[in-house]
């Protein structure tokens, strides 16, 4: 079995605190988690339970207060060394893309950062846009001329263009309409089958999460209260909080 | 550009038109048959407005109209140079403060506070005293007075942008901080900067003319609208046209800038009202 | 407690700012060409005379020593003596403070009386409403006519037609209250035009912003009368930006009304600092700028306090 | 209704010490409080002051009789010790008085009795008496000074018509009549208050609305501006003062290091244009020996005698000869008085015609003084010069060994120095006049300190509220020397 | 049965900087006294516009172009200001999407409640009302500022305020969309309980089909500014006849089996600038015919519900459903 893409070991994140670092707030409390290549872990929980913080940890954006984070079996290092290996898709479609860049340019950006020659880039962008179900003409459009679903597709295209090993989706579909949500969810599933990236799918919508995830972690006040196979959430989950969430989709 | 023009109301359009007119006048003024602004003794001293001297003559017998036209250019040019320099510095500092946070933010924010807690005109007096009166120190004064404006706005807009998806995505993709700032942040704050720029320009024009009025701005015979006012104010009751004409043109110029600023802002971040019924 | 926690860092930052201001002023003054010796002696300065005066005022010591001496004295409430009158600077300031304060309060009163109602009107007037356009015009005009232009205009009008008001000079309100008003009204009006525009524009913006908020819709939905909505929701919620500019403006009036004080020959703080600078009277300028900055900063802290009282979210860490 | 007159004072004093301060704004206030041994009359002839009589017993010795009734405002009579103490204080280097040199070198000063002072000079010094007539030689209450009850650096106390009752800096002065003033027939009112109003327009407004009764202006146009007001009179007072330009001969970086460029500059200056355009023709072209003294010592030097065309072509020739057909220069004038800016601009236009490239800067006074007299960092500086009451006093300025403050920019011409030394001791008369002509030629040739036009003071007052007495001519900025004869009409 | 709302051919247009937007394109709807009606539809279909129109709370750039809207027998768009205010105060109650925005941040909850209840409300009344809204510690809540409450609590406050004067019509625009999944159901439960107690009518505007299925008596599906299908919840959601309703249900996650794929609706909803002359769903419809492109559907009754579809109930359509 290959090494997990992301391997968290008793990770703790403390925010703020007074002038001398006292009295901080533990947003993530000693969490351990492994995400295998090609696997999606869903993360659900109420607002403020620490989901986003955990996502930032997996991306190497959040300094740890204690614990370790390993990426593909190695220490994480600096973000710059991991160029092209990680991606993220966030909530708010209207903030997902730089409104001043044409969509093609946005999708291309990670390749530019990687230092890929321009000729090669062009072909990759066109192919990627097609992959997410947008015709090549979208490359020339500005985000303002796109619907929310289309924007989120472009954001996904940008996230996938470097064929990363790991992607975080933080509330990536929460702001979308049901119909569009289904489009995007299907897209992520298809692309994962094809590219085999590991993923962390953060949402407070259990229905969408269990549709897309292999495993689901339920977070409550900075801790996992339940981690189980997604199929489990079609039956009766163990933890009362999980059951409460289930009630909303019946 | 034209779509912006179409969206703004009549008052703003008037201001924009006035601005264009004044700038054009300042630019082509020297080529218009208005007379020589420098010619001492071109007419009798302190004569009231006439066909020959539409704004009258000053105490050295110079025709005042071409001097006012010259003053428009001087005032605009100096303030614009000052404000643009300041905008560049302020934008950079504000972006660094907002994006990096931490110590950089503290230093920049405290610096801005210190500058801000000097009343502009006091700072102006001090700077003009240190550097000697003249255009350079007027530019410095305007910079000191308007720098906090840019820093504050850019910093807060940058802070707001920092958590946006495209910024985070770029960071995750491994972009260097400078790349993020130049490619992703800068183009998105430029609107806010432009709005500040117009306001700073009007503040700059007020400061420039106030300094000139106190005798600390550009030096005679170079004439900005403020120094013309100072010149005329010695003859306020006897030759009021000197103060009235230069004062009116100065006020009109500042108003044109202000109204244009309003228009730009309304176009960039429209504030719709709501009726109370 | 919330307010205390919110305030403490601000106090610390304010002191840092004051220290920065003091160092800046001190340095700036030492860099100014020409000294008091030049002013006192006119053209007849000789190196000996300059030296004698430098020794008399301790200007012959190293800069750092001078600065520390000054700071040390400041902490004991000693601001030094004026070189011209050799009187304690503090006394001179205390004598002038009421003049400037009166001017500032008058101007502020005019600014609020004119700017607030017009601003609210402009904020709630439907697009194209005549009152709204008038208000915007006043705002544009007020922000555009520099004080010395308006001041000159008023001086012209009131010196040609000697209407009841007087141009320039100062009369103590204790000796002659009516005379005081006659001399102070014009400069106060001159200073207030910009204030009116400032308050008006800020109020309009703030009101417009508040009007789009959900709680206004809520209030409408529960059938409140327009007057009540303005009174209960609009005013309070638009207060913060208004307080911000009003305090900044007041701070400016207290320290920076130099042009108008010079124009109308009003012996206030601004004029004092201005002539102190002309005379290279270091102690006056140092103390003056420092006082102006201190007043400005304290007023801003008062404003911060006002925010905390008005908006319960301020300082609670949640917005 | 009360016995008060109000003076609109254009500027605050720059210090209290009458023996030190060198500005007119200070002098005018000192004159209200202090007296000098001698004073001058309408035609600038010396008159008794605190000394009711004096006698020159030899070319170097003088005897002064102090006026018996004179007393300081605290009631103590003025005695010989006060005179001696005051003069010695001026002489004391620690006081740092610029007047030291004008007094000549005093060998011995003694008081045979309380009312007699004898002075022995080391060498004849014609201007000695005139120097005593300037307010800088004010007689102070030395006893009180020594006791420590009077501090001349923060108080004014003299034997003059008024004493200070109240002072608010930059705002106002209140002076009351000195009850012990010796001139018992003085009509001066009980109170003289002064309001500090620097701005010309504001001062005019104050005059119109009656807040002040009298004031002074330097701008001749005020007469025009106040002409419509029938209750305001404007009196011109001719002075020996004149506007002048200093040209920096010392600085290596200045084009004026070359004497030919200086001469060209002097020739190209159009003094008539300055008179016409700045002063509306109300003043006169002036000379190193001021016109007000009635001497014509300098009138025939080439700068003044040639026609404008000749002067211009001569100037161009000189520039060509110097190899600098278009020297770039900056005229520095202070921002203290708008008149300077106007003179500078007219000068700029006239010398541009000779090929000069001219800039103008108007820094504040302190900076101007620093740059000119201390650092010598300027090309041309514009200011005015007090002509005092004797030609030899003002002309002494051309000797940098005397006017040491000019050393930063003035070239030392030994021949001129000698001549100036000589003229100091020559009594007024034909021999001296011939010497003055000789000196004028040398001055003109050096083109280092240039006289422009004379400076007239304009005293404006409310004819319906006060009666004033003003000298037609004044030599020591002694504008209000007859203040004791001013009268309140209401 | 009396109708609290009756709406005929209501057309509402926004004047925006990019030209007019026709948000409602002829809405026909009646709401009976005491019933719970849910209006579902994609974003931009006009739900909020319709809801706000019932209190004439639309922003000033919105205008009624045609049609009639009566609430409690009063013509909302043609009444005097004071009457309108009285209608809002006494007859209507609104619950908005985000409680944090709907409450004035600078005013204590108690004071805001009092404004809603009327001047004579005493502290006990306020506490009682809060208690009815299932807020456990009414005293503390009344003394709090909005930011001191959690989202769920704040929304309950808003609900309590909405029923303060026992309105006859409650309008809830996405009342739970801004809340956590785990408390959504509880809040909506509170709302429905209070409605039942007061016997008012309730209109829920939402795009959450699951939630609607549990709480509404009747469902109206909106698309392109019109109501395309309306009927009882069981009929409309259990056996939809409009292709749009069917597609909407198929796209919503929650009813699929593990491993099953969702079926999204292709394309995007229309943005109308004028009267739509055809079926507005036609471009995205999987069963559309030529006729759908040329004529505007009129309300028809098919299988005991009102439908706006030219094909509903036809042969071809039935075949499609069978597949
Ligand atoms: N930069 C920060 N500084 C201090 N506290 C923070 C910061 N970011 C988040 N927190 C706090 O940490 C906790 C967890 O936040 P996080 O954003 O991870 O929650 P979440 O589960 O993503 O919530 P949501 O569903 O609302 O997005 C919250 O209580 C939040 O207030
Ligand atoms: N103020 C406005 N100016 C211009 N167009 C508007 C305005 N408000 C709404 N619209 C447009 O009117 C149409 C209907 O909007 P409405 O808000 O009623 O939809 P909705 O069904 O409530 O959508 P959502 O589920 O997103 O709340 C949309 O196309 C929208 O873009
Ligand atoms: Mg989150
Ligand atoms: Mg809506």
């Amino acid at each position: 079995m290959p090494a997990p893409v992301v391997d968290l070991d008793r990770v703790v994140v403390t925010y703020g605190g007074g002038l001398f670092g006292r009295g901080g707030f533990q947003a993530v409390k000693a969490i351990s988690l492994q995400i295998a290549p090609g696997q999606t872990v869903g993360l659900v929980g109420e607002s403020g339970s620490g989901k986003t913080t955990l996502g930032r940890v997996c991306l190497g954006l959040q300094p740890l207060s204690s614990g370790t984070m390993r990426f593909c079996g190695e220490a994480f290092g600096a973000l710059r060394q991991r160029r092209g290996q990680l991606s993220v898709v966030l909530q708010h479609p209207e903030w997902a893309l730089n409104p001043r860049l044409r969509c093609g340019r946005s999708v291309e950006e990670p390749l530019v950062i990687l230092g890929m020659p321009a000729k090669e880039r062009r072909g990759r962008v066109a192919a990627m846009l097609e992959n997410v179900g947008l015709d090549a003409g979208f490359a020339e459009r500005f985000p303002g001329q796109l619907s929310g679903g289309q924007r989120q597709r472009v954001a996904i295209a940008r996230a996938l263009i470097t064929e990363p090993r790991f992607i975080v989706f933080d509330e990536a579909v929460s702001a979308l309409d049901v119909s569009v949500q289904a489009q995007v969810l299907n897209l992520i599933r298809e692309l994962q089958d094809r590219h085999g990236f590991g993923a962390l799918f953060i949402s407070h919508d259990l229905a969408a999460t269990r549709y897309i995830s292999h495993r689901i972690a339920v977070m409550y006040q900075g801790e996992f209260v339940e981690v189980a196979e997604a199929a489990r959430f079609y039956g009766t989950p163990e933890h009362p909080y999980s059951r409460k969430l289930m009630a909303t989709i019946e | 550009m034209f779509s912006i023009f179409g969206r703004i109301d009549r008052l703003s359009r008037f201001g924009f038109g006035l601005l264009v007119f004044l700038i054009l006048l300042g630019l082509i003024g020297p080529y218009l048959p208005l007379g020589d602004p420098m010619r001492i003794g071109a007419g009798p001293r302190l004569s009231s407005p006439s066909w020959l001297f539409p704004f009258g003559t000053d105490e050295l017998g110079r025709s005042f109209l071409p001097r006012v036209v010259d003053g428009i250019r001087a005032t605009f040019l100096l303030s614009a140079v000052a404000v643009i320099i300041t905008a560049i510095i302020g934008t950079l500092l504000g972006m660094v403060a907002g994006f990096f946070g931490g110590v950089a933010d503290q230093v920049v924010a405290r610096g801005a506070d210190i500058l801000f807690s000097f009343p502009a005109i006091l700072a102006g007096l001090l700077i003009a005293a240190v550097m000697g009166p003249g255009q350079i120190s007027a530019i410095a004064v305007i910079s000191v007075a308007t720098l906090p404006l840019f820093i504050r706005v850019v910093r807060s807009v940058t802070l707001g942008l920092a958590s946006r998806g495209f910024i985070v995505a770029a960071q995750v993709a491994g972009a260097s901080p400078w790349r993020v700032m130049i490619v992703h942040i800068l183009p998105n704050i430029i609107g806010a900067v432009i709005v500040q720029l117009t306001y700073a320009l009007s503040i700059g024009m007020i400061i420039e003319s106030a300094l000139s009025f106190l005798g600390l701005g550009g030096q005679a015979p170079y004439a900005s609208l403020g120094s013309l006012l100072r010149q005329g104010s010695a003859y306020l009751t006897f030759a009021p046209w000197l103060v009235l004409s230069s004062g009116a043109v100065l006020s009109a110029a500042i108003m044109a800038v202000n109204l244009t600023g309003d228009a730009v802002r309304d176009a960039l971040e429209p504030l719709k009202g709501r009726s109370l019924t | 407690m919330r307010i205390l926690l919110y305030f403490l860092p601000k106090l610390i930052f304010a002191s840092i700012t004051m220290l920065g201001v003091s160092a800046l002023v001190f340095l700036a003054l030492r860099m100014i060409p020409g000294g008091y010796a030049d002013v006192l002696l006119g053209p007849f300065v000789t190196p000996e005379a300059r030296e004698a005066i430098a020794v008399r005022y301790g200007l012959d010591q190293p800069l750092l020593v001078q600065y520390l001496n000054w700071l040390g004295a400041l902490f004991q409430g000693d601001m030094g003596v004026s070189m011209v009158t050799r009187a304690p600077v503090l006394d001179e300031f205390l004598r002038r403070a009421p003049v400037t304060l009166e001017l500032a309060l008058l101007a502020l009163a005019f600014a609020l009386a004119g700017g607030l109602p017009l601003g609210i009107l402009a904020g709630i007037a439907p697009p194209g409403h005549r009152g709204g356009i008038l208000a915007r015009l006043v705002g544009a005009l007020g922000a555009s006519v520099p004080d010395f232009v308006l001041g000159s205009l008023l001086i012209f009008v009131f010196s040609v037609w000697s209407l009841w008001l007087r141009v320039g000079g100062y009369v103590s309100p204790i000796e002659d209250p009516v005379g005081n008003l006659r001399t102070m009204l014009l400069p106060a009006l001159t200073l207030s035009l910009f204030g009116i525009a400032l308050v008006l524009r800020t109020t309009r913006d703030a009101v417009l912003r508040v009007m789009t908020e959900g709680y206004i819709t809520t209030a409408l939905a529960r059938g409140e009368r327009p007057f009540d909505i303005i009174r209960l929701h609009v005013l309070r919620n638009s207060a913060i930006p208004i307080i911000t500019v009003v305090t900044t403006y007041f701070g400016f009036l207290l320290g920076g009304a130099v042009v108008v004080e010079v124009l109308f020959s009003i012996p206030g703080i601004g004029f004092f600092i201005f002539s102190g600078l002309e005379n290279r009277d270091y102690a006056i300028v140092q103390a003056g700028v420092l006082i102006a900055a201190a007043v400005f900063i304290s007023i801003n802290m008062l404003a911060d306090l006002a925010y905390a009282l008005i908006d319960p979210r301020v300082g609670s860490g949640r917005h | 209704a009360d016995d008060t007159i109000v003076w609109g004072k254009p500027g605050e004093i720059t210090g209290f010490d009458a023996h030190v301060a060198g500005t007119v704004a200070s002098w005018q206030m000192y004159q209200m409080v202090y007296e000098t041994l001698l004073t001058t009359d309408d035609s600038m002839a010396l008159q008794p002051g605190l000394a009711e009589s004096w006698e020159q017993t030899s070319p170097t010795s003088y005897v002064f009789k102090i006026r018996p009734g004179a007393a300081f405002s605290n009631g103590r009579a003025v005695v010989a010790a006060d005179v001696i103490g005051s003069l010695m204080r001026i002489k004391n280097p620690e006081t740092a008085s610029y007047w030291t040199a004008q007094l000549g070198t005093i060998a011995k000063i003694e008081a045979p009795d309380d009312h007699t002072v004898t002075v022995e000079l080391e060498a004849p010094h014609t201007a000695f008496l005139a120097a005593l007539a300037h307010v800088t030689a004010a007689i102070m209450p030395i006893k009180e000074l020594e006791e420590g009850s009077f501090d001349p650096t923060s108080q004014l106390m003299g034997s003059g018509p008024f004493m200070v009752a109240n002072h608010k800096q930059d705002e106002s002065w209140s002076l009351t009549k000195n009850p012990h003033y010796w001139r018992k027939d003085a009509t001066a009112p009980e109170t003289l208050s002064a309001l500090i109003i620097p701005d010309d327009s504001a001062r005019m407004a104050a005059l119109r609305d009656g807040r002040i009764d009298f004031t002074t202006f330097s701008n001749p146009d005020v007469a025009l501006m106040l002409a419509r007001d029938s209750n305001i009179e404007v009196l011109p007072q001719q002075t020996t003062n004149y506007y002048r330009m200093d040209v920096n001969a010392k600085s290596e970086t200045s084009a004026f290091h070359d004497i030919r460029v200086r001469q060209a500059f002097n020739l190209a200056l159009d003094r008539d244009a300055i008179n016409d355009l700045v002063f509306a023709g109300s003043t006169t072209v002036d000379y190193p020996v001021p016109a007000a003294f009635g001497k014509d010592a300098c009138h025939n030097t080439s700068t003044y005698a040639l026609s404008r065309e000749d002067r211009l072509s001569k100037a161009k020739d000189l520039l060509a000869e110097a190899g600098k057909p278009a020297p770039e220069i900056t005229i520095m004038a202070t921002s203290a008085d708008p008149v300077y800016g106007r003179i500078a601009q007219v000068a700029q236009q006239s010398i541009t015609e000779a090929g000069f490239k001219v800039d103008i800067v108007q820094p504040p006074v302190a900076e101007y003084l620093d740059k000119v007299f201390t650092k010598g960092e300027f090309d041309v500086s514009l200011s005015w010069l007090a002509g005092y009451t004797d030609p030899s006093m003002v002309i002494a300025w051309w000797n940098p060994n005397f006017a040491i403050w000019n050393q930063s920019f003035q070239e030392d011409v030994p021949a001129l120095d000698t001549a100036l030394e000589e003229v100091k001791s020559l009594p007024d008369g034909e021999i001296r006049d011939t010497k003055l002509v000789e000196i004028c030629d040398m001055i003109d040739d050096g083109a280092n300190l240039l006289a422009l036009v004379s400076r007239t003071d304009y005293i404006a007052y409310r004819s319906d509220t006060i009666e004033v007495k003003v000298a037609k001519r004044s030599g020591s900025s002694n504008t209000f020397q007859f203040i004791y004869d001013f009268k309140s009409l209401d | 049965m009396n109708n609290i709302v009756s709406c005929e051919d209501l057309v509402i247009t926004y004047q925006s900087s990019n030209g007019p937007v026709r948000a409602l394109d002829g809405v026909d709807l009646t709401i009976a006294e005491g019933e719970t009606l849910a209006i579902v539809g994609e974003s931009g279909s006009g739900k909020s516009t319709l809801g706000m129109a019932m209190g004439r709370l639309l922003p000033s750039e919105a205008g009624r172009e045609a049609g009639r809207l009566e609430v409690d027998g009063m013509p909302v768009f043609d009444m005097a200001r004071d009457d309108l205010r009285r209608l809002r105060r006494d007859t209507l109650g609104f619950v908005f999407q985000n409680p944090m925005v709907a409450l004035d941040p600078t005013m204590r909850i108690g004071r805001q409640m009092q404004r809603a209840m009327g001047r004579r409300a005493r502290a006990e009344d306020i506490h009682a009302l809060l208690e009815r809204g299932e807020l456990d510690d009414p005293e503390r809540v009344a003394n709090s500022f909005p930011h001191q409450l959690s989202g769920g609590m704040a929304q309950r406050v808003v609900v309590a305020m909405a029923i303060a004067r026992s309105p006859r019509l409650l309008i809830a625009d996405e009342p739970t969309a801004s809340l956590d999944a785990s408390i959504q159901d509880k809040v909506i439960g509170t709302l429905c309980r209070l409605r039942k107690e007061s016997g008012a009518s309730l209109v829920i505007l939402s795009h959450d089909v699951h939630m609607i299925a549990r709480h509404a008596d009747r469902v109206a599906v909106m698309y392109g500014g019109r109501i395309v299908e309306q009927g009882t919840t069981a009929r409309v959601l259990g056996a939809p006849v409009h292709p749009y309703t069917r597609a909407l249900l198929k796209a919503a996650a929650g009813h699929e089996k593990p491993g099953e794929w969702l079926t999204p609706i292709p394309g995007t909803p229309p943005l109308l600038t004028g009267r739509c002359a055809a079926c507005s769903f036609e471009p995205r419809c999987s069963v559309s015919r030529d006729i759908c492109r040329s004529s505007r559907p009129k309300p028809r009754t098919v299988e005991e519900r009102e439908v706006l579809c030219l094909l509903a109930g036809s042969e071809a359509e039935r075949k499609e459903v069978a597949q």
Side-chain angles (χ1 to χ4, degrees), chain B residues 172-196:
Chain B
V172 169
S176 69
W178 291 107
R179 185 177 172 83
V180 173
M181 281 197 273
I182 303 299
V183 177
H184 297 291
I185 295 181
L186 189 60
N188 286 294
I189 56 176
I190 212 80
V193 172
I194 288 175
V195 171
Q196 284 309 306

Side-chain angles (χ1 to χ4, degrees), chain E residues 194-214:
Chain E
L194 288 173
R195 182 212 67 80
K196 214 172 286 164
E197 285 171 18
S198 66
S201 309
L202 172 63
V203 181
I204 302 177
L205 315 167
S206 174
H207 56 233
D208 185 343
V209 240
H210 302 299
M211 189 258 280
I212 281 167
R214 263 170 287 144

Side-chain angles (χ1 to χ4, degrees), chain D residues 456-474:
Chain D
T456 306
D457 286 335
Y458 296 87
I459 294 112
Y461 70 99
R462 286 282 295 247
S463 52
D464 55 345
T465 58
I466 61 165
E467 234 174 68
V468 302
K469 186 171 167 201
V470 176
K472 280 201 192 62
R473 287 197 291 165
S474 160

